[in-house]
Amino acid sequence: MMGVSPADVLALGLEEGVIALGSNCGNGIERMVEVLEEFRTTARKEGMVLPPLIARANAGMPILVEDRTVFPEGPDEMAAFVPALIGAGARIIGGCCGTGPAHIAAFGRIIRKA
């Protein structure tokens, strides 16, 4: 979203000694999968040790409805991406803008099945 590649973020994070690395908000949960996969691919290619990965997506891209900001992705819609996030290496999965207790509960249901 800010024009910085996941590969650049990974390199800087490792240089600074981060203990976890991830993506937060701005692109929605589907894009989180791509970001985490790029972290893993880059780390493997460069022989880097990858820290635990975090995904904290917003509930879709915000839209304005009757002068109110609405995040359109519901709990089940977001939770459908949890297996892909886990497969991409996520060890911490949460939510950001527009997510609430129902979203987190839906994530938990999927995680417990994995």
Side-chain angles (χ1 to χ4, degrees):
M1 177 178 155
M2 302 303 292
V4 180
S5 74
D8 290 342
V9 170
L10 175 62
L12 178 61
L14 293 177
E15 181 180 308
E16 294 297 322
V18 299
I19 60 170
L21 185 69
S23 186
N24 179 56
C25 209
N27 290 308
I29 199 162
E30 184 172 6
R31 177 73 174 112
M32 294 282 165
V33 175
E34 297 169 24
V35 169
L36 297 186
E37 286 175 347
E38 189 169 337
F39 284 152
R40 286 179 51 187
T41 299
T42 300
R44 219 173 302 138
K45 186 173 88 174
E46 301 296 327
M48 301 170 170
V49 176
L50 192 62
L53 296 179
I54 303 167
R56 288 190 62 231
N58 51 302
M61 298 307 293
I63 55 175
L64 196 58
V65 176
E66 297 178 6
D67 297 323
R68 189 169 161 247
T69 302
V70 174
F71 291 85
E73 292 181 5
D76 293 335
E77 187 176 359
M78 287 186 73
F81 286 95
V82 167
L85 289 170
I86 293 169
R91 296 299 169 255
I92 301 168
I93 301 173
C96 198
C97 302
T99 61
H103 290 84
I104 303 304
F107 297 170
R109 285 191 296 276
I110 298 296
I111 290 167
R112 283 188 290 280
K113 290 179 185 175

